[in-house]
Amino acid sequence: MHKFVPAAITGCLLLILIALIGFSPDDQLSIDPATELIHSESMVEIPPSPTVDLFGFVIDQSDYIDDQIRRNESLYIILDRYGVSPQQIYEIQQQASDNIDFN
């Protein structure tokens, strides 16, 4: 046991010495400074990302109302609460009936 401790310490010191020698600052890669310049003419402004709700819908492009649907509420009741006319509700149901089952 006592012979193992000095050998372990010597091994750790040897590894540290090898690491320090291997990563000396003299071994830096030579990089041409002219290639690192960024010209302002070539830069493009990145537009900000749109604001989305919890479900991933973009809310900046339309009117957005955050509300909860109560138990047994129909589409008519929900839209009527916000002043949508019965004719508009019927048209919405007809257009969406191919994709959504309202029953």
Side-chain angles (χ1 to χ4, degrees):
M1 171 105 179
H2 294 287
K3 292 180 182 180
F4 177 72
V5 174
I9 292 173
T10 305
C12 289
L13 290 175
L14 184 61
L15 287 175
I16 292 171
L17 182 62
I18 291 171
L20 289 175
I21 292 172
F23 296 112
S24 66
D26 298 334
D27 294 338
Q28 292 181 357
L29 298 174
S30 61
I31 299 174
D32 184 18
T35 60
E36 290 188 20
L37 294 177
I38 299 174
H39 299 286
S40 61
E41 297 88 27
S42 64
M43 293 178 53
V44 178
E45 184 175 340
I46 300 173
S49 60
T51 307
V52 295
D53 65 359
L54 292 172
F55 304 102
F57 292 106
V58 178
I59 59 176
D60 292 340
Q61 297 175 351
S62 61
D63 294 332
Y64 179 76
I65 300 171
D66 189 18
D67 199 0
Q68 293 183 353
I69 298 173
R70 293 171 196 62
R71 181 178 226 164
N72 295 327
E73 278 190 324
S74 66
L75 182 64
Y76 179 84
I77 293 171
I78 296 166
L79 294 178
D80 184 55
R81 183 182 322 143
Y82 294 105
V84 180
S85 71
Q87 179 63 33
Q88 288 176 317
I89 295 172
Y90 176 77
E91 291 172 5
I92 292 170
Q93 285 179 329
Q94 293 303 311
Q95 291 175 0
S97 64
D98 294 337
N99 300 325
I100 299 172
D101 182 18
F102 290 105
N103 294 330

